[in-house]
Amino acid sequence: MSAADFDFEHGRWRVRHRRLRTRLQGADDWQAFDGTAEVRPILAGAGNVEDNWIDFPGQPYRAIALRSFDPGTGLWAIWWLDGRAPHALGVPVVGRFVDGVGTFDAADTHDGRPVTLRFTWVTGEGAGPQWSQALSPDGGVTWETNWIMDFTRI
């Protein structure tokens, strides 16, 4: 774990999104669409910003992921800012990489209910990197993955 953990993502990407339309109800109603992302370092390499174009059907939008590394704890924090709600910075997910897999968690809410939010990054040796988001309504006993992004370098 280091400030270089996200260096694999620097550059320009085509992104294939798969999103579960209905969350935490046992649904299997996946929706697929495309997008792009461009990632660059900030904070002298101790962070980065991922600028996304998300071609969401009927409502395309821009969003950013803002990441920073704390060398004292070895932890990363990731915030999400969605252009559809430009003053609502998401709760930070916090975590680290172990053996090429990054796991980042936060306490959050979904439809007014408390949940644990998890971002997972797989750095993608051979294939491109993959990000996924999951929710747990029971403190991490069970998880439902509801968004997957597959990255292909441009």
Side-chain angles (χ1 to χ4, degrees):
M1 72 197 131
S2 76
D5 287 337
F6 274 102
D7 285 2
F8 70 89
E9 202 196 5
H10 293 169
R12 296 180 59 224
W13 302 90
R14 273 188 293 282
V15 182
R16 183 64 174 164
H17 295 265
R18 289 173 285 152
R19 173 186 166 270
L20 193 59
R21 292 177 197 231
T22 309
R23 297 180 179 175
L24 298 179
Q25 295 181 24
D28 191 27
D29 54 351
W30 288 92
Q31 175 181 40
F33 48 94
D34 294 316
T36 60
E38 187 166 351
V39 182
R40 65 180 181 81
I42 59 172
L43 301 172
N48 61 61
V49 64
E50 176 187 292
D51 186 9
N52 291 276
W53 169 252
I54 300 171
D55 199 7
F56 190 79
Q59 191 182 13
Y61 64 97
R62 295 201 78 93
I64 64 166
L66 178 63
R67 305 181 186 102
S68 65
F69 180 73
D70 181 343
T73 63
L75 296 172
W76 282 90
I78 306 171
W79 294 264
W80 183 253
L81 180 60
D82 186 321
R84 298 170 299 178
H87 293 166
L89 192 61
V91 298
V93 293
V94 177
R96 63 173 40 103
F97 281 86
V98 176
D99 297 327
V101 177
T103 305
F104 310 89
D105 294 331
D108 202 356
T109 60
H110 176 72
D111 289 339
R113 296 178 7 203
V115 295
T116 304
L117 169 65
R118 174 170 285 170
F119 290 0
T120 303
W121 271 100
V122 179
T123 58
E125 292 185 27
Q130 183 182 75
W131 171 89
S132 62
Q133 174 180 276
L135 296 177
S136 174
D138 52 19
V141 175
T142 61
W143 292 93
E144 177 185 81
T145 298
N146 59 54
W147 200 304
I148 299 169
M149 296 168 62
D150 291 302
F151 290 72
T152 303
R153 193 170 291 281
I154 296 175

